[in-house]
């Protein structure tokens, strides 16, 4: 069997794309260009820079490289993202061609292709691929909370190797990781503050005068900084953006409007609707030159965000308890 390898380069230098971003924009481009990719299920992408196809992509004038353009949301508008594809080589899926010294080398192309295909094979709506792990996306409340706005996701780690007689083997292990809950930022704030202060921060008790003290604001800033959120005040139009700072409240944060200075709370009252909690904090997104200030009550934590920070002692204890329950369930069944 023969497959074809391409290099994939996201030609943009204005902002950093994560592997999750690359995977999303890549597959959106594949789906939107059926003339180039008539068989999407015959395409494999590693989420970074390598693509394999069953059939060689036929282009006019037999070009070895081509560029596709897609529009992605960035800040207050959409920007153009160019994805460059370059043909590399034809790959023979013949494991007997591997030399003895290379049997355990993961960089071998047939093994690399198998790794990508095995992970991608579960990358449907029910799974989220992250490197060599496919995490099952919790649905219908089937999650285990760790506290502090995080929950446990279960996944399958796959690793391909060559065994005796050049037989390809797939090693599959169960793994677990902490992900941020996809929920309103107000509820995320409540979980974070309740975990740190051991108090019941109830969103249902908030009113127009509710606010955070400096210590609470510092805790909230530390936990939400770097996360991706999206706004919900414009209906189906949702803008995903990363949080880089937090300010004290919508009622006290001023900016230059068309008719002079006004607060964030005043702007939303005139442009959209009056805020329920104008004294609660705002998240600051966008760039330093063009900041985007959003009240927390209109923001939602984006899904599929894996936690890379060390878990708090209480969260670690909850994780151990969850894994122990899973182990006991597997043993009993």
């Amino acid at each position: 069997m023969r497959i074809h390898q391409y290099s994939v380069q996201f030609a943009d230098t204005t902002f950093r794309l994560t592997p999750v971003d690359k995977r999303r924009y890549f597959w959106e481009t594949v789906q939107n260009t059926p003339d180039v990719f008539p068989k999407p299920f015959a395409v494999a992408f590693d989420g970074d820079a390598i693509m394999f196809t069953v059939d060689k992509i036929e282009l006019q004038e037999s070009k070895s490289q081509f560029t596709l353009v897609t529009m992605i949301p960035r800040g207050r508008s959409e920007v153009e993202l160019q994805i460059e594809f370059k043909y590399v080589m034809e790959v023979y899926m013949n494991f007997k061609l591997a030399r003895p010294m290379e049997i355990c080398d993961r960089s071998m192309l047939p093994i690399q292709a198998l790794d990508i295909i095995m992970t991608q094979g579960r990358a449907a709506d029910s799974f989220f691929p992250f490197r060599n792990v496919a995490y099952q996306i919790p649905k219908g409340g089937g999650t285990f909370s760790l506290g502090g706005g995080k929950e446990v996701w279960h996944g399958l780690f796959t690793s391909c190797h060559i065994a005796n007689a050049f037989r390809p083997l797939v090693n599959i292990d169960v793994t677990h990781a902490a992900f941020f809950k996809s929920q309103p930022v107000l509820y995320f704030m409540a979980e974070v503050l309740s975990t740190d202060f051991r108090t019941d921060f109830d969103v249902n008790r908030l009113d127009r005068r509710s606010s955070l003290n400096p210590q609470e604001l510092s805790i909230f800033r530390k936990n939400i900084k770097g996360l991706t959120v999206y706004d919900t005040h414009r209906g189906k139009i949702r803008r995903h953006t990363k949080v880089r700072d937090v300010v004290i409240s919508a009622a006290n944060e001023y900016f230059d409007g068309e008719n002079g200075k006004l607060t964030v709370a005043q702007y939303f009252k005139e442009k959209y609707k009056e805020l329920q909690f104008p004294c609660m904090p705002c998240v600051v997104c966008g760039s330093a030159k063009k900041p985007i200030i959003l009240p927390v009550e209109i923001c939602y934590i984006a899904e599929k965000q894996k936690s890379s920070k060390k878990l708090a002692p209480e969260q670690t204890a909850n994780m151990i308890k969850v894994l122990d329950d899973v182990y006991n369930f597997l043993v009993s069944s």
Side-chain angles (χ1 to χ4, degrees), residues 55-312:
D55 302 315
K56 188 174 181 180
I57 298 175
E58 298 296 336
L59 299 171
Q60 295 180 354
E61 301 177 2
S62 300
K63 293 181 179 179
S64 61
Q65 65 183 66
F66 59 98
T67 301
L68 298 178
V69 178
T70 185
M71 302 301 294
I72 64 173
R74 188 60 54 177
R76 295 184 174 88
S77 59
E78 289 188 332
V79 297
E80 185 179 274
L81 175 66
Q82 294 186 352
I83 306 178
E84 299 176 354
F85 299 82
K86 185 176 181 180
Y87 186 76
V88 178
M89 67 175 70
E90 189 176 53
V91 179
Y92 293 85
M93 298 296 286
N94 186 349
F95 301 102
K96 292 183 179 181
L97 297 178
R99 294 191 296 270
M101 294 298 293
E102 296 179 334
I103 286 182
C104 296
D105 187 357
R106 290 287 305 277
S107 66
M108 287 190 305
L109 288 177
I111 292 296
Q112 187 177 23
L114 272 183
D115 268 336
I116 296 172
I117 293 170
M118 289 301 300
T119 303
Q120 181 175 292
R122 294 180 300 278
D125 293 338
S126 300
F127 288 88
F128 167 61
F130 186 86
R131 297 194 177 98
N132 272 47
V133 181
Y135 292 99
Q136 186 174 17
I137 300 174
K139 292 183 179 180
T143 61
F144 300 90
S145 179
L146 295 176
K150 298 176 183 177
E151 61 188 7
V152 179
W153 283 25
H154 307 293
L156 296 175
F157 173 85
T158 59
S159 176
C160 298
H161 302 277
I162 298 178
N164 294 333
F166 304 102
R167 293 176 300 174
L169 295 181
V170 179
N171 177 49
I172 301 178
D173 292 320
V174 178
T175 185
H176 312 273
F179 278 76
F180 289 95
K181 291 182 183 178
S182 181
Q183 61 181 338
V185 170
L186 274 176
Y187 286 91
F188 173 80
M189 177 193 300
E191 285 198 37
V192 166
L193 296 180
S194 298
T195 300
D196 281 77
F197 292 111
R198 305 293 193 275
T199 58
D200 185 16
F201 187 93
D202 192 352
V203 174
N204 296 321
R205 296 177 183 175
L206 297 179
D207 56 36
R208 293 187 58 80
R209 295 176 296 177
S210 298
S211 62
L212 299 186
N213 61 44
Q215 187 179 10
E216 292 172 332
L217 188 68
S218 176
I219 294 294
F220 175 58
R221 177 185 288 112
K222 181 183 70 173
N223 282 273
I224 199 171
K225 194 172 181 180
L227 292 185
T228 298
V229 301
Y230 62 83
D231 54 59
T232 59
H233 64 291
R234 297 182 296 171
K236 295 182 179 180
I237 302 176
R238 294 179 175 179
R239 172 179 51 194
H240 287 69
T241 183
K242 186 170 292 187
V243 177
R244 62 179 183 84
D245 200 2
V246 174
V247 293
I248 189 168
S249 74
N252 292 306
E253 186 65 23
Y254 288 83
F255 69 97
D256 294 324
E258 296 179 356
N259 300 318
K261 283 193 173 184
L262 72 163
T263 66
V264 174
Q266 290 172 336
Y267 171 79
F268 272 84
K269 182 178 180 180
E270 296 175 5
K271 186 76 173 180
Y272 301 104
K273 65 177 182 179
E274 188 173 9
L275 297 176
Q276 289 183 281
F277 314 115
C279 295
M280 294 300 287
C282 295
V283 294
V284 182
C285 308
S287 64
K289 293 183 178 180
K290 294 183 178 181
I292 302 172
I293 305 174
L294 301 171
V296 291
E297 68 180 76
I298 66 158
C299 293
Y300 214 93
I301 301 291
E303 62 178 2
K304 302 176 183 177
Q305 296 190 77
K306 186 175 181 291
S307 174
S308 59
K309 298 180 181 179
K310 184 179 179 180
L311 296 178

Side-chain angles (χ1 to χ4, degrees), residues 31-46:
Q31 293 174 358
N32 294 333
T33 53
D35 54 326
V36 179
F37 299 99
K39 300 177 181 178
F41 290 101
V43 178
F45 178 56
D46 72 338

